[in-house]
Amino acid sequence: MTTPFPFTAVVGQDDLRLALLLNAVSPAVGGVLVRGEKGTAKSTAVRALSALLPEVPVVPGCRFSCDPASPDPGCPDGPHEAGGGVERPARMVELPVGASEDRLVGALDIERALSEGVKAFEPGLLADAHRGILYVDEVNLLHDHLVDLLLDAAAMGASYVEREGVSVRHAARFLLVGTMNPEEGELRPQLLDRFGLTVEVAASREPDQRVEVVRRRLAYDDDPAAFAARWAEDEAEVRARIVAARALLPSVRLGDGALRQIAATCAAFEVDGMRADIVMARTATALAAWAGRTDVLAEDVRQAALLALPHRRRRNPFDAPGLDEDKLDETLEEFGGSEDDDPDPDPGPDGPGGGGGQPDPGEGPEGGDTGAQPEAGEGGQPQPSGGGEQSAVRASEPFRTKVLSVPGIGEGAAGRRSRARTEHGRTTGARRPQGALTKLHLAATVQAAAPHQRARGRSGPGLVVRRDDLRQATREGREGNLVLFVVDASGSMAARQRMSAVKGAVLSLLLDAYQRRDKVGLVTFRGTGADVALPPTSSVDAAAARLESLPTGGRTPLAAGLLRAHDVLRVERLRDPARRPLVVVVTDGRATGGPEPVALASRAARLFAAEGVASVVVDCESGPVRLGLAGQLAGELGGTAVTLDELRADSIAGLVKDVQRRAA
């Protein structure tokens, strides 16, 4: 068994360690979401936490970890008699991003269920994680149907497995911990709100601290057991402190003054619902217990707000997480000073987390600002050969759009844009299963088994079913696509009001792509060439940041932009062949860069038409005299053209029908 990296040996990352320890003290806090760049010890710290958790008493032989003091009356392995149990270490179960539904919730033996009427059930990861930790690395990349199952289990504290009328239920209460890199995309708001706390982590910029990180990691890699032994005493101290804080937790008093501060803070930051208030109250109580106090202070409320509110105040995916700490302090001061609060409490023991609930003091970063806007992708972009470069302008107010879908039926990653054959959705037929059976088509299975009942010697009421009779349901749902924006940033687009409207239109489509779980990419062209401002990614907020800082000016190398987009699609097709692309070209249709610019642009456009790539041209031409060049470009692409005015929700419905009609 691999020796985990000691929790107390993690350098810096104070907020991360504190959030994890608070959940160890009070699992009711609701878990932790760890956001940050790669290589910042996110996974290391989470995996190290399980070694600090107290052992869990369980019913001997129960696969669902029932508590012997109060066993689950509906346990599939039950009924259990209340009484003595055995203790085992708390589990940390990892959910792989590519896990199947059956691996997560468990699976029924359909053949035995139909023929014998027994609930032969194989538990999944939710059963393994009951009364422990469920850890999801790269949680933002988790498939939507798995997210739905996690939401249901987290809300109800139980998991339900149903297959054609056969149902199994078991308890599933776990500490949900997720890590993610925001550059790879954001979480759905429903799942984001399920995490009690969130922390932002970043690598230290202090050379001494970075040296210590490397030194400890090399020592651990050389001899994990010896390295862990060096930290065994510190680990034991923290473990004992968790046990003491758990014992103290029921005695902690949350006074009316602290409650008013919590309610006022949530109201001041306009968070939705009441979950934030409840999480803050539980977190502040856990902070007091961790510090060895029985009263909740204003500093506990402040720290609770910094951990519980940042991910709940985002209004759209382009808002950076975080709180205005000056506003927080003003709110706490305005609603502080209750007579219920002890003005001079016992500060609690020193050690990890001492002094107001903070972990070990040090030079480590306290989260970092990973929500900062990334710089525009201008590296290597040629300077415009005609006309001066103009500074970036702000996008106009985004508006609601309707879906732009890719024609036909695909088989890409689950999403909400185009039709696709998926594991979830409406049933459209049946087929023989390829591998494990996941969705039974009952009628087709019975129809396949019925002609053989006499030959199989059926004598009782049960249907004699063989594995060859089982039929998998084929389903149709929605997939996410690659939406590649090809944006004209030349001098002809540079009028401020015009470019502002163009950016507003693209920003609106980016918001739509976020909601529909698409990947997005951004290619810009101006001067004498084109630049991949953002390679295909799931992070639409990164695309919005690049768009916001996009400068304009120079000639219009339309052919270069189309060819660069074609190269991007070619490479992405090798990486993710099942994801179908939708190319959105934003231009007025002029081509002025390079020799024979119009002929070159025409030939480049026909490459997309020959490969059947779905495309839309957003016509940005304005003024009383219109040349109609964008419409000609759309014809050569095999797509359709739409003006900026027609891009709004009420007008796009006709556009989608036109795209589908042309592809039919």
Side-chain angles (χ1 to χ4, degrees):
M1 181 176 179
T2 303
T3 303
F5 193 92
F7 186 85
T8 51
V10 174
V11 179
Q13 308 298 12
D14 294 348
D15 284 350
L16 170 58
R17 292 188 295 141
L18 176 61
L20 292 172
L21 289 170
L22 291 177
N23 276 274
V25 171
S26 175
V29 167
V32 185
L33 174 64
V34 188
R35 298 164 47 93
E37 59 197 25
K38 53 187 175 294
T40 50
K42 300 188 299 292
S43 300
T44 299
V46 174
R47 293 189 177 101
L49 176 67
S50 60
L52 298 178
L53 298 181
E55 292 190 335
V56 178
V58 297
V59 174
C62 178
R63 298 173 297 167
F64 301 88
S65 302
C66 280
D67 186 348
S70 56
D72 180 8
C75 176
D77 284 354
H80 304 299
E81 294 184 3
V86 296
E87 290 194 344
R88 62 158 175 80
R91 289 176 181 161
M92 192 196 73
V93 178
E94 293 195 41
L95 172 61
V97 170
S100 66
E101 178 180 338
D102 286 347
R103 183 71 186 99
L104 177 62
V105 301
L108 290 170
D109 189 329
I110 302 297
E111 186 176 351
R112 291 188 63 192
L114 288 176
S115 58
E116 303 174 27
V118 297
K119 297 179 180 179
F121 180 68
E122 184 66 28
L125 296 177
L126 290 180
D128 292 341
H130 178 48
R131 304 176 68 202
I133 302 173
L134 181 62
Y135 171 48
V136 189
D137 193 13
E138 305 293 352
V139 63
N140 50 327
L141 303 183
L142 200 63
H143 290 303
D144 276 3
H145 68 283
L146 297 182
V147 170
D148 293 335
L149 293 170
L150 275 180
L151 289 175
D152 291 341
M156 297 183 293
S159 175
Y160 292 85
V161 184
E162 299 189 15
R163 295 288 190 275
E164 305 296 342
V166 181
S167 177
V168 172
R169 172 215 165 272
H170 65 83
R173 292 182 296 275
F174 47 83
L175 173 61
L176 182 61
V177 180
T179 57
M180 60 175 283
N181 184 346
E183 294 178 357
E184 296 175 336
E186 285 292 345
L187 278 173
R188 287 172 53 183
Q190 295 93 331
L191 183 58
L192 193 64
D193 191 50
R194 287 293 177 187
F195 287 97
L197 310 179
T198 185
V199 291
E200 298 280 333
V201 297
S204 173
R205 299 298 184 255
E206 292 292 332
D208 290 342
Q209 192 172 72
R210 295 175 75 96
V211 166
E212 185 61 23
V213 170
V214 175
R215 181 182 292 117
R216 293 186 186 183
R217 186 69 209 189
L218 292 178
Y220 171 78
D221 291 340
D222 288 341
D223 191 342
F227 184 81
R230 287 170 46 195
W231 294 88
E233 185 176 346
D234 293 335
E235 293 280 288
E237 289 179 1
V238 174
R239 189 180 300 110
R241 188 170 174 188
I242 291 174
V243 173
R246 283 187 173 186
L248 183 62
L249 188 65
S251 303
V252 175
R253 186 173 64 98
L254 183 65
D256 290 343
L259 277 174
R260 279 194 295 271
Q261 286 183 318
I262 290 170
T265 301
C266 292
F269 286 98
E270 300 180 351
V271 295
D272 295 330
M274 294 297 297
R275 182 174 283 117
D277 302 64
I278 296 171
V279 170
M280 274 191 65
R282 289 172 174 166
T283 304
T285 303
L287 280 162
W290 178 247
R293 292 187 264 97
T294 57
D295 288 288
V296 174
L297 307 181
E299 63 193 73
D300 299 323
V301 176
R302 186 182 192 279
Q303 183 65 48
L306 293 174
L307 293 172
L309 297 188
H311 61 302
R312 292 186 165 91
R313 59 161 294 276
R314 297 185 64 171
R315 293 303 176 192
N316 66 63
F318 307 146
D319 288 340
L323 291 182
D324 183 342
E325 295 195 28
D326 291 338
K327 181 178 179 180
L328 173 61
D329 291 335
E330 291 174 2
T331 303
L332 294 176
E333 183 177 355
E334 179 181 355
F335 290 89
S338 170
E339 60 184 5
D340 293 332
D341 293 329
D342 185 356
D344 186 21
D346 181 3
D350 295 331
Q358 293 291 338
D360 289 333
E363 302 301 323
E366 295 186 4
D369 184 14
T370 58
Q373 299 289 343
E375 295 179 359
E378 299 175 57
Q381 182 168 330
Q383 291 299 316
S385 59
E389 178 178 307
Q390 299 190 22
S391 60
V393 299
R394 295 187 62 84
S396 62
E397 191 68 23
F399 49 84
R400 184 174 178 81
T401 69
K402 290 185 179 178
V403 62
L404 292 170
S405 62
V406 177
I409 301 179
E411 296 181 346
R416 300 195 183 102
R417 184 171 295 277
S418 304
R419 295 172 58 197
R421 286 181 286 271
T422 63
E423 289 296 321
H424 296 78
R426 63 185 182 89
T427 301
T428 58
R431 60 173 174 80
R432 290 182 181 273
Q434 300 171 353
L437 179 71
T438 55
K439 296 291 183 180
L440 178 74
H441 195 296
L442 182 59
T445 299
V446 172
Q447 186 176 5
H452 307 291
Q453 296 304 295
R454 181 174 297 178
R456 294 173 182 172
R458 173 184 170 184
S459 57
L463 190 67
V464 181
V465 179
R466 304 279 172 82
R467 182 156 295 277
D468 289 344
D469 302 326
L470 300 178
R471 294 295 182 268
Q472 173 84 25
T474 57
R475 302 191 173 208
E476 183 178 306
R478 293 281 170 176
E479 67 177 1
N481 298 110
L482 167 60
V483 182
L484 182 60
F485 294 93
V486 186
V487 180
D488 184 350
S490 64
S492 62
M493 301 284 290
R496 286 187 173 272
Q497 185 174 2
R498 184 179 181 186
M499 197 62 195
S500 177
V502 169
K503 286 187 176 183
V506 178
L507 190 64
S508 302
L509 292 171
L510 283 172
L511 281 166
D512 183 68
Y514 166 78
Q515 294 166 349
R516 301 189 186 281
R517 312 296 286 176
D518 294 317
K519 292 180 72 173
V520 296
L522 178 62
V523 173
T524 64
F525 58 94
R526 64 188 179 99
T528 59
D531 178 55
V532 181
L534 185 71
T537 176
S538 297
S539 179
V540 294
D541 50 347
R546 303 292 173 91
L547 177 71
E548 189 71 22
S549 56
L550 177 67
T552 57
R555 295 184 179 276
T556 312
L558 178 57
L562 295 175
L563 290 174
R564 182 59 63 91
H566 186 268
D567 287 342
V568 170
L569 294 184
R570 176 179 57 80
V571 173
E572 193 64 19
R573 196 175 292 121
L574 297 174
R575 294 174 177 169
D576 191 357
R579 191 181 291 269
R580 297 185 295 161
L582 173 65
V583 177
V584 180
V585 185
V586 184
T587 182
D588 56 11
R590 289 182 171 87
T592 60
E596 299 184 355
V598 177
L600 284 175
S602 178
R603 286 199 293 270
R606 286 196 290 270
L607 290 174
F608 292 87
E611 295 176 0
V613 177
S615 59
V616 174
V617 178
V618 179
D619 185 1
C620 302
E621 191 174 33
S622 60
V625 178
R626 295 176 179 263
L627 303 178
L629 298 176
Q632 296 177 24
L633 175 62
E636 291 167 338
L637 285 166
T640 189
V642 57
T643 65
L644 286 173
D645 291 337
E646 294 169 341
L647 197 58
R648 295 184 178 274
D650 294 339
S651 303
I652 283 188
L655 167 65
V656 176
K657 294 177 182 177
D658 194 20
V659 171
Q660 295 172 337
R661 184 177 65 252
R662 286 173 180 263

